Amino acid sequence: METENQNFQKSSMCSFVPEQEYTEGRRKLMSWLNQQMKIHLLDGRVLVGTFVCTDKDAHIILSSCYEYFNEKDLDTGESRLLGLVMIPGRHIISIHTDVQQTSEQSINTSNSDQT
Amino acid sequence: METDCTPTTNQKNEPAQNPNYNWKDITPEFFESIKDLELGELLHGYFFGLFEAMSAIEIMDPKMDAGMMCNRESNSIKLEDLKLSGLSVSEQISIIDITLACLVSWLEGHSLAQTVFTNLYFQKPYEIKDIPLKAFCICIYKIIESIRDFANRAQVFEEEDFQAALYNYHFFNEISDQRVIGMMREVDESINHILKSNSNCDEESYLALNTRIKFVRLLLQILLSFNRRESHSNLMGETQRLLTTCGLLIPSLIKTVNKGVPNIDHCYYDLGFDPLINQKLLPPTFPRYTKIKTAAEAYLYFDALLTRLKQICKLTNCVSYISALECFIELGHNSHLCIVSRSIMQTLYFPQPNKVFGTQDLGDCLREWAKSFIAPPSLISRLGILTNYQAKDCVHNFFEHCIRPFTGLIQTCGYNKARQRDKLAHLMEEFSALQDESQRIDAFLHSFSSKLDPPKEHLASFSTWIIYHTIRIMIMYLLSGFELELYSAHEYQYIYWYLYQFLYGWLVSTLNRADNVLLGSNSYVDFQKNKTKRNKPKKKKTHPYSQEIVMCHAMQSLTGAYFKTFIGFQLEGKIQTPKHAKFDNERVRYQHRFSAFSAVSVPPPFTYNEFQMTRNQIRDNASADPGILYLNGCELFHQARCLLDTIQQPHSQQVQNLIKVCKTNFVTMKLLASGYMRGPGVSLDFDFTTNSHFPILKLS
C-alpha cells in the first residue's frame, strides 16, 4: 500500500502540470490509479484488475486482469487470467472501484502520517 | 464443464484468495473526469508508461481477444443431450473420422482444447454405452498421452509446432495400456461376431467401423513399441510388422469415409462436437482459429507418418555416431518431418540422456567415432599412452566436454528447419570452444606419442576431428538458408563463393589428413597381422574417405559453377544488386549472412573485401564478358556431374537429384555460352524443387 502511495505522489510530481493547477477530474483519476477496478463490457463480460492508465477517450488499461464471462461467474470465481489489457471506452458499460481498499489505504496513510 | 473432466482444481480455490470487494459505481464520475485530459495524453502512474501500454491485449479486438468468442451462441448440442447409447454405425464412423482429423490438426500445432477435446464424448467416455466408441475414446486418450510423452522427452518442439498443454483433462491412468489394447481387441471380435451372426446387417459399414478400431489399436501399439528404454535393431522387427499391417489399412479407411453420416458439415454439431466448449480454457494469447482437416486428408497424413516411422526404424542399424548423424540429416532432407517422427527419432537414439540406444554411453560412442575417424595414438590401447594418469584424465575430460555439443548436434536435427538454423549458429560457438581444447590436448599428448617407438604424430588428431564437425555445421548453416528461402537472388553469389572457395575445400583437406593418417596407421596394423579388432576400412590400402572426398570435390565444382554463373548474370544485368540503400547494400547483407561464423576461429571468417577482390579478379579474367563466365560455369557443372558419376553405385536419391541438376544446368549454360537466350528479353528463374539447395536455372 505504501509503495502505491509513493507511486501516486511521484506520478503527481513528474506530471507536467503543476500540482496546484490540477482540476477536480484529474485529482479523481489520480486517486483511482492503482486501485482495483471492475469493468462491465457491452458483451456481458466483467473484467477485474488494477487500474494503471487511461486517456481522454476512456481507453482503460488494467494490469493483472481477470476475465469473468458473466455476472454469475463473478460469484463462483470462475475466471481466466488475462494479464495486461486495454479496454476501449466504447465497449464499457460501467466502472466500479473497490471502496474498501480505498478506505483501508486512507487508514494506512493516516497511520503512516501519525508515525 | 460440470463433468469428470472439468478442469476445476485451479479455479475453485480462487474465491478464497479474492478479497471481498466493496464495489462502488463511479461510471458517471469517471466519464466526467476524463474530459479534463488533453487529447492524446495518457494518465498513468510513475511505473507505467506508453511502452508498457503497448503490450496490453486489446479487448474486443478479434485478433487479440480470444474471450470475445465465448459469448456467442454455440450451435452445438448441450452436454446433457449428448447421445450416449444407440448410436448408429455410420454415426460412430463419422465421430471417429472427425476425431482422428482433430488429432492430426493437433499434431500440426493447434491446441488440444480446440481440436480433439471439442469432441463432447471426451468429457465423459465412461458413460458412453456404445462400446466401440467408448473404447475408441479411451484409446485416443492413450495415444495423446503417448505422443505427449515422446514430445516432452525429446524436447525438440517449439511453441509454433506443438502444443502439449492438456488443460486438466483427465487421463485414465487407472487403465493400463495393455487393458486398452485388450478392450480394442474385444470390440474387434464383437463386431466380427455381429457380422457372422447377423446376415442382414449393413456389412460394409460394420467392416468400416472394424477397420477404424483396428487402425487406432495398431497406432497405439506402434507408439508403445517405440517407447522402450532400450532399442535394438532386432527388437524393431515387431515394430516394423505393426507399421506394415497398419499401413495396409489406410486405403480402405479412405475408401470408407463415405460410410459415415452423409452431409457431414451439417451434422457436425449434432454428432457432439463443439468448437467453443474449451474457449474458457485457452491461454490469454492470440486466438488461434483452428481449421480441422477432412478425414481423407487426415488418413493421408497417417499414411505419410507410418512411412516416416518405417524409415526411422533404420536408425537402430546406425551403430556409430556419424552414421546416426547422417541418418538424421538424410531423413531431415527427404521428407517434411512432423513432430511425432522428430520426437520419436530423438527418443529412439537417446532413450535415456547420453545413452545411445539406452545401452552405450555417448562418451564411449564418441571415442569410437574419433578412433575410427583419424585413429589418434592416444586412443589406440596397444600404444599404452593412457596408462599415464595425466593423459588419461585429459582425454577423459575432453570427451566429457564433447558430450554436450555432440548431443546438441543430434538434437538440432530434430528441430523444425527455422529453429535449426538458430541452433546451428549456437553449436558453432560450442564447437569453437572444443577446438581450443582439442588443440591443447593434442599438443600435450604429442609429448607422449613422440617418445614412442616408432614415434607417432599426435598433433592435429582430435583437432582435425573437431574441425571436421565444425565445417559440416557451417555448411549446414549456409545451406539451410536456401531451404528457408532467406537469400535473395543477388546474395547467391557470395553464399556459393564461400562454400566453393572455403568450406568444401577445407572439408576436403580435413578428410585428406584423416585419410593419410588412417592409411599410415593401417599399414602398421597390417604389419601387426591385424591383431586389433578395428576392421573399419573394408579392404587393405583403400582410402577410407575416398567416396566422401569425391562428393566434396563434386560439391566444390557445383558451387563454383553457380558462383561463376551468377557473376555472369550480374554482369548481364539479370540479377540486380541493391546499391544505394544505406542499410541494405551488399556489404551489410554479406556481414549479416556470415556473422555467425565470427564465433569460429578455425577456419577463420572471410570478409566482404576478400569476396569483392575475388569477384573483380574473376570478372577481369573473363574481360567482363558474361559468355566466358557462362562457359566456365558450364565446365564446372560438367565436372561436378562427372565426379558424381564416379560415386559408388547404387546412387542415393540425393546423388541422383544432384546429377539431374548438374545435367540440366550444363545444357542451359552451354546455350547461354554460345549466345542463345541472352539479352534483356529473357527472364531468369530458379527452380529449387529437385534439390532444395541447388536450383535448376530456368530461362524463358
Side-chain angles (χ1 to χ4, degrees), chain B residues 215-256:
Chain B
F215 171 74
V216 176
R217 169 175 60 91
L218 285 167
L219 197 61
L220 178 62
Q221 279 181 299
I222 288 165
L223 291 172
L224 292 176
S225 78
F226 272 112
N227 202 1
R228 291 198 204 91
R229 294 288 144 180
E230 287 178 14
S231 30
H232 282 299
S233 44
N234 44 350
L235 286 175
M236 294 316 281
E238 169 70 7
T239 313
Q240 279 184 322
R241 194 185 57 77
L242 287 169
L243 282 166
T244 314
T245 325
C246 195
L248 289 175
L249 297 176
I250 301 268
S252 70
L253 284 172
I254 295 174
K255 224 188 293 166
T256 52

Side-chain angles (χ1 to χ4, degrees), chain B residues 278-487:
Chain B
N278 297 310
Q279 207 70 22
K280 288 180 184 178
L281 303 177
L282 295 179
T285 49
F286 306 129
R288 297 176 189 235
Y289 296 105
T290 309
K291 193 172 179 311
I292 306 291
K293 298 193 147 220
T294 66
E297 279 171 342
Y299 287 125
L300 287 176
Y301 173 93
F302 281 118
D303 196 25
L305 173 65
L306 294 173
T307 319
R308 285 194 289 266
L309 290 178
K310 255 183 230 170
Q311 288 169 339
I312 288 170
C313 290
K314 277 190 280 179
L315 185 67
T316 44
N317 300 326
C318 301
V319 185
S320 70
Y321 176 85
I322 191 67
S323 59
L325 183 65
E326 299 286 4
C327 185
F328 271 98
I329 294 172
E330 192 193 322
L331 284 175
H333 275 308
N334 284 355
S335 44
H336 169 72
L337 293 178
C338 62
I339 181 68
V340 186
S341 29
R342 286 193 274 134
S343 304
I344 287 182
M345 269 166 85
Q346 295 289 328
T347 53
L348 194 64
Y349 193 65
F350 288 128
Q352 296 151 42
N354 298 337
K355 282 265 182 218
V356 178
F357 298 122
T359 47
Q360 195 186 13
D361 193 60
L362 180 66
D364 294 339
C365 185
L366 289 176
R367 248 171 219 259
E368 285 296 312
W369 162 222
K371 197 165 149 186
S372 67
F373 181 75
I374 196 165
S378 54
L379 291 186
I380 298 171
S381 46
R382 183 167 45 80
L383 298 176
I385 292 177
L386 293 189
T387 47
N388 180 300
Y389 76 96
Q390 263 184 315
K392 193 178 173 182
D393 260 11
C394 172
V395 171
H396 179 77
N397 286 339
F398 173 65
F399 280 102
E400 280 294 296
H401 295 159
C402 282
I403 286 179
R404 221 177 79 98
F406 278 84
T407 325
L409 190 51
I410 291 276
Q411 208 178 17
T412 300
C413 298
Y415 279 97
N416 69 48
K417 294 277 175 195
R419 297 279 181 173
Q420 257 182 39
R421 199 175 150 84
D422 287 351
K423 309 265 169 194
L424 286 172
H426 286 295
L427 275 177
M428 277 182 230
E429 290 168 28
E430 295 198 32
F431 271 90
S432 169
L434 274 184
Q435 270 182 17
D436 292 345
E437 189 179 346
S438 64
Q439 276 160 7
R440 264 185 285 119
I441 75 158
D442 270 344
F444 176 68
L445 292 170
H446 186 67
S447 64
F448 292 93
S449 64
S450 55
K451 285 176 205 144
L452 289 170
D453 181 39
K456 285 254 170 193
E457 179 86 16
H458 204 298
L459 294 173
S461 299
F462 286 130
S463 48
T464 307
W465 183 60
I466 295 293
I467 286 171
Y468 169 76
H469 292 100
T470 317
I471 299 172
R472 292 280 309 258
I473 292 168
M474 291 166 93
I475 293 174
M476 277 165 79
Y477 179 80
L478 281 190
L479 292 182
S480 73
F482 288 106
E483 272 172 277
L484 296 167
E485 298 175 37
L486 294 180
Y487 310 133

Side-chain angles (χ1 to χ4, degrees), chain B residues 602-621:
Chain B
V602 184
F606 286 87
T607 60
Y608 178 65
N609 290 345
E610 276 158 294
F611 166 64
Q612 266 189 321
M613 264 165 53
T614 325
R615 184 168 58 182
N616 289 339
Q617 215 173 357
I618 287 174
R619 268 189 205 152
D620 294 343
N621 286 349

